Amino acid sequence: MKYILIAFAFLAMSCNNKAEDAHAHNEDGSHVGEEIPRLSHTLWTDQTELFVEYPALIVGNPSKFAAHFTVLDKHQPVRKGSVTVSLIKDDRGIRNTAETPSSPGIFSSAIQPKEAGKYQLVFELKTPDYSDKITIDDVTVYANADEAIKALGTAEDDGSISFLKEQAWKIDFQTSPVVSGKIYDVINTSGVWMPSPGSVKSLAAKSNGVVDFKVSNLTEGTAVKKGELLMSLNSQGLASNNLSTDIASAKAKFQQAKSEYDRKKELYESKIVPKSEFEKVASNFEIAKANYQSLVSGVSGGSKQIRAPFDGFIKSITVSNGDYVEQGVALVNIGTHQSKVLNAQLAPNYGLTMENVQGIWYQTKDGQWKSVTEADGKILSIGKNVERENPLISVFAQVNAEVDMPEGSLTPVQIAMGNATQNTMIPVNALLEDYGSYSVIVQRSGESFERRPVKIGKRNGENVEIIQGLKVGEVVVTTGAYQVKMASMSGSTPAHGHEH
């Protein structure tokens, strides 16, 4: 989901420290003891969150910026790179560059305005991995401190939850925008994981011999890599069906057939022998060649090698180490997590057809919802008949992604059907539940949060419909909401500490 660009400006409280002479002034004309108001902005792009704090911009006064840059993917601070801050008006302006962060995620720089007026404040981020540009429009530069104090006034405590960027960066933390999306009616059921065609392969003995395991602790469930040597078949010392003897015999027959083929080919090309006689010799040569190549394929050190055909796991082993087996006997079955079939069953009164099924979601091993189509899968078929012993209809879906769940295991399933409605939605992970009531943590600015009650509707996989409580464009915490909630209950506000 793309973040919508949002900006917040919050005023820090200005103090009126009464001096003995209430009419004394500073050199810039402001009253003694009055602090310059501080501003903060929070903006998002597709890749970055910027939270910046700075004193109000005043002509002749250097304003020090504390710009907090967060990479939205995994919500981590920008650790390497540079930030250029520019104050621009009518294509002219001043700029300052911080070549490195003063601490992870925080870039400090200062700008001293020369003229009052409306400006653009531009932040250009350059990292080893990507670059980003964030612009704040209509930033005011005041002629003096009195004008700034008069215009901005005094900010009051709004009851928000304070949770610093430094705190968020130390934990698993993620945010997501509130969006408008398609919401479907869903059928909640369960499904069984089944092997898909081609996801299991049986490896058979290509020759007679004694089984020799080449992987220590080769058991069901053992992970294997494509081409990995699993076992070998050794026939050395056997009086009959000895692989080395068979290979030597096949090689001799192949060489003899080749010699006869080369001789007859010259005679045929010279029209000394008829075509039928040459074709018979050529057929004998091809048979001898194929037989010899089949015997020597996968042979090393006189043993036939059995290797894994793809990355996967041992599904079953049908022999024991040291067993004597004959050619064609099944040795081991290899399975893969990369593809499975999900069989979901439900009552026939829903009237499901391939036309009205809009999608299927399933839960992964870690409890996350995932769409079949997002897993490069598809709906295969819907059953037509029911039986007395099993009066349910099966819906089969192919999942072409790693499914690290045993075959035969159950998983929750949601089947979307009918026409969608357009409504506000957020990720299910953002919900906090208290005895059947739901709330979310809304990010009001970079370090300011609010716990807000919401009324939910339908759940569609990883998303949930919000009927009341949120607006499109707001940002909610999807990972780490509980920690922010606990911060609101701690009874103390962490020290701000952004004078970097």
Side-chain angles (χ1 to χ4, degrees):
M1 298 181 185
K2 292 188 175 181
Y3 277 75
I4 302 172
L5 192 63
I6 308 171
F8 300 89
F10 292 88
L11 308 181
M13 295 184 65
S14 58
C15 304
N16 293 321
N17 184 18
K18 295 183 179 180
E20 291 183 4
D21 181 2
H23 299 285
H25 289 76
N26 294 314
E27 291 182 2
D28 63 358
S30 65
H31 292 90
V32 171
E34 292 183 315
E35 292 184 358
I36 296 175
R38 295 184 63 83
L39 300 173
S40 68
H41 298 272
T42 305
L43 302 99
W44 289 269
T45 68
D46 291 341
Q47 298 174 291
T48 313
E49 176 196 292
L50 166 64
F51 168 61
V52 59
E53 295 178 303
Y54 59 95
L57 299 176
I58 299 171
V59 174
N61 278 17
S63 290
K64 187 176 181 181
F65 292 82
H68 304 62
F69 282 90
T70 303
V71 181
L72 291 178
D73 182 25
K74 299 182 180 179
H75 208 87
Q76 288 296 299
V78 173
R79 302 182 186 277
K80 294 182 179 179
S82 64
V83 170
T84 299
V85 183
S86 303
L87 190 64
I88 302 172
K89 180 181 180 182
D90 299 329
D91 297 328
R92 296 183 298 108
I94 53 178
R95 66 177 55 192
N96 194 354
T97 299
E99 298 294 344
T100 58
S102 56
S103 60
I106 302 176
F107 292 80
S108 300
S109 59
I111 283 183
Q112 184 171 334
K114 298 179 181 179
E115 296 179 4
K118 294 287 186 179
Y119 289 79
Q120 278 189 330
L121 189 58
V122 181
F123 294 83
E124 295 176 87
L125 171 68
K126 293 183 179 180
T127 76
D129 300 320
Y130 75 99
S131 297
D132 213 342
K133 183 177 180 180
I134 301 174
T135 301
I136 305 173
D137 293 318
D138 296 326
V139 174
T140 302
V141 173
Y142 297 95
N144 52 58
D146 276 351
E147 282 192 12
I149 295 169
K150 182 179 179 181
L152 299 175
T154 301
E156 297 181 356
D157 185 2
D158 57 6
S160 62
I161 305 168
S162 177
F163 198 74
L164 305 186
K165 301 306 297 181
E166 290 89 336
Q167 291 176 281
W169 290 334
K170 291 178 181 179
I171 64 172
D172 288 335
F173 195 86
Q174 196 66 56
T175 59
S176 178
V178 180
V179 299
S180 177
K182 292 182 178 180
I183 300 291
Y184 292 93
D185 289 323
V186 297
I187 303 169
N188 289 287
T189 181
S190 62
V192 178
W193 290 111
M194 303 168 53
S196 63
S199 65
V200 177
K201 187 169 184 178
S202 179
L203 305 183
K206 300 278 182 75
S207 68
N208 301 334
V210 177
V211 176
D212 181 16
F213 286 5
K214 295 299 182 180
V215 175
S216 60
N217 300 320
L218 187 64
T219 57
E220 292 183 12
T222 301
V224 296
K225 294 290 185 182
K226 181 179 179 180
E228 182 178 0
L229 179 61
L230 305 179
M231 56 183 70
S232 65
L233 300 175
N234 192 337
S235 60
Q236 293 180 3
L238 297 178
S240 60
N241 296 321
N242 187 297
L243 181 60
S244 298
T245 302
D246 292 344
I247 290 176
S249 175
K251 183 178 181 181
K253 291 180 180 179
F254 166 61
Q255 290 175 338
Q256 182 180 3
K258 184 177 186 304
S259 177
E260 179 70 7
Y261 170 79
D262 291 341
R263 188 174 67 85
K264 290 290 186 181
K265 183 179 180 181
E266 291 182 2
L267 294 175
Y268 171 70
E269 290 174 349
S270 300
K271 299 184 179 182
I272 298 175
V273 298
K275 181 179 180 181
S276 59
E277 183 177 343
F278 172 68
E279 288 177 343
K280 182 178 180 180
V281 170
S283 176
N284 292 337
F285 166 66
E286 292 297 333
I287 293 172
K289 178 182 178 182
N291 186 39
Y292 172 65
Q293 289 179 340
S294 175
L295 285 172
V296 298
S297 175
V299 174
S300 177
S303 300
K304 199 78 167 180
Q305 297 184 333
I306 307 299
R307 296 182 178 273
F310 45 68
D311 292 350
F313 63 96
I314 302 296
K315 184 173 173 60
S316 63
I317 303 174
T318 56
V319 296
S320 299
N321 199 16
D323 283 354
Y324 172 79
V325 296
E326 294 184 350
Q327 183 176 347
V329 171
L331 302 174
V332 60
N333 291 320
I334 309 294
T336 176
H337 292 301
Q338 297 300 322
S339 180
K340 275 188 171 67
V341 169
L342 182 62
N343 177 13
Q345 293 189 321
L346 62 157
N349 58 335
Y350 287 107
L352 278 185
T353 64
M354 291 292 288
E355 289 73 28
N356 66 11
V357 174
Q358 303 300 324
I360 295 179
W361 294 280
Y362 63 91
Q363 267 193 356
T364 60
K365 186 177 181 180
D366 57 1
Q368 301 297 312
W369 286 99
K370 194 167 186 178
S371 168
V372 166
T373 53
E374 289 175 356
D376 297 325
K378 61 182 179 179
I379 300 171
L380 297 175
S381 63
I382 297 176
K384 302 295 184 184
N385 302 314
V386 297
E387 300 175 357
R388 178 177 299 178
E389 297 79 10
N390 183 23
L392 298 174
I393 287 181
S394 291
V395 179
F396 295 94
Q398 175 87 35
V399 176
N400 293 322
E402 183 169 344
V403 180
D404 190 13
M405 296 183 72
E407 291 169 10
S409 62
L410 293 171
T411 185
V413 171
Q414 291 182 353
I415 301 177
M417 60 181 296
N419 297 321
T421 58
Q422 195 82 11
N423 207 348
T424 304
M425 65 183 188
I426 61 171
V428 171
N429 293 342
L431 291 178
L432 294 172
E433 183 178 4
D434 292 307
Y435 303 103
S437 297
Y438 295 94
S439 62
V440 295
I441 300 296
V442 180
Q443 185 176 12
R444 300 175 60 177
S445 73
E447 298 180 331
S448 177
F449 297 82
E450 172 193 354
R451 186 180 179 188
R452 189 183 302 173
V454 294
K455 184 177 180 181
I456 68 171
K458 303 166 188 174
R459 299 192 186 210
N460 283 190
E462 64 179 6
N463 294 315
V464 60
E465 179 184 23
I466 299 298
I467 298 174
Q468 183 178 325
L470 290 173
K471 296 179 180 179
V472 173
E474 292 185 299
V475 175
V476 295
V477 179
T478 56
T479 304
Y482 180 76
Q483 285 86 340
V484 179
K485 173 186 172 182
M486 294 306 295
S488 70
M489 301 169 64
S490 65
S492 61
T493 301
H496 206 263
H498 286 320
E499 290 298 331
H500 301 283

